[in-house]
Amino acid sequence: MPELPEVETVKTALIPHLSGRLVTRVEIFSPRLREPLAPLAAAGIEGRRITGVGRRGRYLIIRLDDGRNLLVHLGMTGVIRIERAEIPRRKHEHVFFHLDNGDVFRFECTRRFSVVKVIGESSPELDALGPEPLEEDFNAGYLFKRSRGRKTPVKLFLMDNAVVTGIGNIYANETLFRCRIHPLRAAGSLKRGDFARLVEAARATLREAIEAGGSTIRDFRLVDGSEGHFAQQHSVYQRRGQHCPVCGQTIGHLTLGGRSTFFCPGCQTEPRKGKKAAAPGQ
DNA sequence: ACCACAACCTGGCCGC
DNA sequence: TGCGGCCAGGTTGTGG
C-alpha cells in the first residue's frame, strides 16, 4: 500500500502508543509473509522494551532496548492497528505484539507482500536505499549527476529506491504532473533546472500528503482505523478521462514498467527529439 | 546498464 | 449466482 507519506503517518501515530512499552508476548499466526516468520518467533523479543519508532523510506523501524530493531514494511496491503487484546483477530492479521499496558500491536496484510523481521543496527535492505526525499541530500545536483547517461523514463528513475526512497506509483505520478515533466522523458535528458522543479514538486506533494494522513485507495488505514484523505487531492492519479485541474485537457494514461501511469498531455509535454523546445516557458 | 516481465498473494469489480 | 479476466499503492529476480 504505502509510500512515504503513509508510512510517515503511521510512524507518527505509533510513537505515543509504543514508546517505552514492554513487549510481553509475540503471537504469530502465519508461517510467512514475504519472508518466513520463524526467525521472528525465535528472536527473543519478549521482555524487550521499545525505545522509539523511526522511518527510512517505506520501512518502519521500531527500536528495542537491546540495540536491535524491528523492521516493518507494509508491502501493498499492510495495516497496523493498536487495539485491546479482547478484540477478535481479523482474517488477515498475521502477528500480534502484546504490550505491557494491555494494548496489542496488530499487523494485518491481505496480500502478504509485507515484511516483519528483527535486524541489528542496520540491514542490507536499509543500506541499499537512496536519500530521503525530504532531506537536503535529495537535491537537483544529486539527481542531475545520478541521471547522466540514463535513458530510463524519469518516472521509473523517480520510483527507484536506490535513487530516492519512498516515492511509489501514486506520488511519482503526482510529482511529475506538478513539475510538468512527462513521465516518459529520459532521465538523462533532463536539465539541472528540471530537477530543481522536480525536487520542489516531490517535496511539496509529499508534505501535503503527510498533512492529509496519506492516500487511502482501498486498504490503507491509520493506526486508529481511519483513512488518509490525500486521494481527494490527487490531480492525475486514477483520474483518467477527467479534466486537468490546471489546463482542462483530458488526463491521459499509459503503462510504464507495468504500472498505471497518469499525466496531463497539455501540461506535461511529450518527449520529442528537437521538436517543440521553444513553446513552453518554465 | 537497461528493460520487459513474472512472481509473490488475495480480493474487488466488471462483464457475460 | 458464478466464473473468468483484469486491476491494485511494492519488491525481487530472471532473461534478453
Side-chain angles (χ1 to χ4, degrees), chain A residues 4 14 62 71 96 116 136 140 193 195 205 223 273:
Chain A
L4 187 149
L14 281 177
I62 299 168
L71 191 67
F96 283 4
V116 181
E136 286 306 309
F195 283 120
T205 302
V223 169
K273 35 198 161 186

Side-chain angles (χ1 to χ4, degrees), chain A residues 171-213:
Chain A
Y171 298 106
N173 278 304
E174 293 295 318
T175 292
L176 291 173
F177 168 75
R178 189 170 192 133
C179 61
R180 302 177 169 232
I181 295 172
H182 195 284
L184 288 178
R185 287 280 303 277
S189 76
L190 297 181
K191 299 178 170 57
R192 202 175 284 259
D194 295 322
F195 283 120
R197 284 188 296 133
L198 190 155
V199 165
E200 287 318 302
R203 290 206 174 117
T205 302
L206 295 172
R207 285 205 186 99
E208 289 172 15
I210 291 168
E211 188 71 21

Side-chain angles (χ1 to χ4, degrees), chain A residues 13 32-33 51 76 124-125 138 148 184 215 219 238:
Chain A
R32 63 179 301 130
L33 296 173
T51 59
M76 296 235 274
E125 50 265 71
F138 175 68
R148 292 309 88 187
L184 288 178
S215 302
D219 301 296
Q238 286 193 341

Side-chain angles (χ1 to χ4, degrees), chain A residues 17-79:
Chain A
H17 289 290
L18 298 187
S19 289
R21 293 265 73 87
L22 202 66
V23 179
T24 55
R25 188 157 60 99
V26 180
E27 276 190 289
I28 296 175
F29 304 102
S30 310
R32 63 179 301 130
L33 296 173
R34 203 169 78 207
E35 300 176 12
L37 290 171
L40 175 64
I45 296 305
E46 290 91 347
R48 299 267 60 92
R49 198 170 287 282
I50 296 170
T51 59
V53 185
R55 178 191 61 75
R56 180 80 174 91
R58 275 168 274 218
Y59 289 95
L60 278 171
I61 300 171
I62 299 168
R63 292 186 282 274
L64 304 176
D65 62 358
D66 62 359
R68 293 185 296 167
N69 297 282
L70 199 55
L71 191 67
V72 178
H73 192 297
L74 300 174
M76 296 235 274
T77 55
V79 174

Side-chain angles (χ1 to χ4, degrees), chain A residues 177 180 244 247-252 263-270 280:
Chain A
F177 168 75
R180 302 177 169 232
C244 167
C247 76
Q249 282 206 37
T250 303
I251 303 297
F263 64 100
C264 170
C267 295
Q268 296 162 271
T269 49
E270 191 82 23

